[in-house]
């Protein structure tokens, strides 16, 4: 399903003016796991990765973003106002952001904005379900094929260690799968 376009909405200019801009340098955090987080983000340019770190310090990539795109909505990446993920810039990045409560107020007062935001959320949740299906239902080589179809060109953008983590296998397995394809 395609996210509705806001360009014709009467309130579009006012809505856009409520978004702020921010720049991140490569390596900078947009969010940190277990820290307060109440914003919504649109990646205008650059690349980000979201990850979860377990109690043993093992980090797992759960989202890869290349701008322009919407970062997974706040409701799907926080609990009780606390971030469940860390999001880090893998390149210099430009973002637009708005407080989630302000966006909710816009959604209540404007049907086009409500439709747009609900479309963004549906798209994000659909991508998450696709990844979960991939992890649960596909073997290694099939996962890599799925990744290449779902995220064309990302293999040339993100470190293979992040992609391997995102696909639920080790960097060694990723390297072997790539080598097997060449034979």
């Amino acid at each position: 399903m395609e996210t509705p376009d806001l360009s014709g909405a009467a309130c579009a200019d006012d809505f856009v003016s409520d978004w702020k801009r921010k720049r991140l340098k490569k390596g900078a955090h947009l969010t940190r796991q277990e820290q307060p987080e109440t914003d919504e983000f649109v990646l205008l340019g650059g690349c980000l990765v979201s990850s979860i770190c377990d109690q043993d310090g093992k980090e797992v990539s759960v989202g890869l973003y290349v701008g322009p795109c919407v970062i997974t909505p706040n409701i799907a990446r926080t609990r009780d106002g606390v971030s469940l993920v860390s999001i880090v810039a893998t390149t210099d990045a430009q973002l637009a952001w708005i407080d989630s409560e302000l966006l909710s107020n816009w959604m209540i007062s404007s049907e086009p904005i409500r439709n747009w935001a609900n479309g963004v959320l549906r798209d994000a949740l659909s991508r998450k379900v696709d990844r979960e299906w991939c992890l649960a239902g596909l073997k290694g080589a099939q996962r890599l094929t799925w990744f290449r179809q779902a995220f064309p060109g990302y293999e040339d953008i993100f470190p293979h260690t992040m992609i391997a983590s995102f696909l639920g296998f080790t960097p060694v397995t990723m390297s072997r799968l790539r080598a097997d394809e060449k034979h």
Side-chain angles (χ1 to χ4, degrees), residues 127 130-134 138 141-151 166-167:
R127 284 190 304 276
D130 287 349
R131 178 174 173 265
E132 289 172 6
W133 177 85
C134 168
L138 301 177
Q142 295 169 316
R143 288 182 194 177
L144 186 55
T145 298
W146 169 85
F147 177 80
R148 288 173 173 159
Q149 291 170 348
F151 302 93
F166 182 77
L167 292 174

Side-chain angles (χ1 to χ4, degrees), residues 24 28 35 42 65 74 91 114-115 122:
L24 287 179
Q35 296 298 310
V42 174
Y65 306 96
N74 188 284
T91 66
R114 179 173 46 254
N115 292 341
R122 261 191 316 277

Side-chain angles (χ1 to χ4, degrees), residues 43 47-50 61-66 69 71 90 127 131 147 151 154-155 158-159 162-164 166-167:
L43 179 60
C47 301
L48 305 174
V49 62
S50 64
S61 300
V62 294
L64 304 170
Y65 306 96
V66 176
C69 69
I71 303 302
T90 59
R127 284 190 304 276
R131 178 174 173 265
F147 177 80
F151 302 93
Y154 279 35
E155 208 170 342
F158 291 96
M162 286 179 184
I163 295 170
F166 182 77
L167 292 174

Side-chain angles (χ1 to χ4, degrees), residues 10-137:
C11 58
D13 289 340
D14 289 337
F15 177 60
V16 169
S17 72
D18 276 344
W19 288 76
K20 309 297 182 231
R21 290 191 178 236
K22 108 173 21 182
R23 290 181 182 271
L24 287 179
K25 292 286 188 189
K26 180 180 179 178
H29 279 81
L30 178 63
T31 67
R32 291 185 188 269
Q33 186 176 337
E34 299 181 359
Q35 296 298 310
E37 182 53 58
T38 60
D39 296 327
E40 303 291 355
F41 302 103
V42 174
L43 179 60
L44 302 172
C47 301
L48 305 174
V49 62
S50 64
S51 61
I52 297 170
C53 193
D54 68 17
Q55 292 179 343
D56 297 328
K58 182 181 177 204
E59 198 167 16
V60 176
S61 300
V62 294
L64 304 170
Y65 306 96
V66 176
C69 69
V70 175
I71 303 302
T72 300
N74 188 284
I75 193 170
R77 62 181 164 74
T78 64
R79 183 173 298 122
D80 299 324
V82 175
S83 185
L84 299 171
V85 299
S86 292
I87 302 176
V88 176
T90 59
T91 66
D92 288 351
Q94 286 188 302
L95 296 110
W97 63 275
I98 190 170
D99 182 80
S100 297
E101 189 173 325
L102 182 54
L103 178 58
S104 292
N105 291 339
W106 271 109
M107 291 172 67
I108 291 166
S109 67
S110 169
E111 184 176 359
I113 291 172
R114 179 173 46 254
N115 292 341
W116 172 81
N118 284 332
V120 167
L121 181 59
R122 261 191 316 277
D123 291 347
L125 293 176
S126 178
R127 284 190 304 276
K128 285 185 154 306
V129 168
D130 287 349
R131 178 174 173 265
E132 289 172 6
W133 177 85
C134 168
L135 293 175

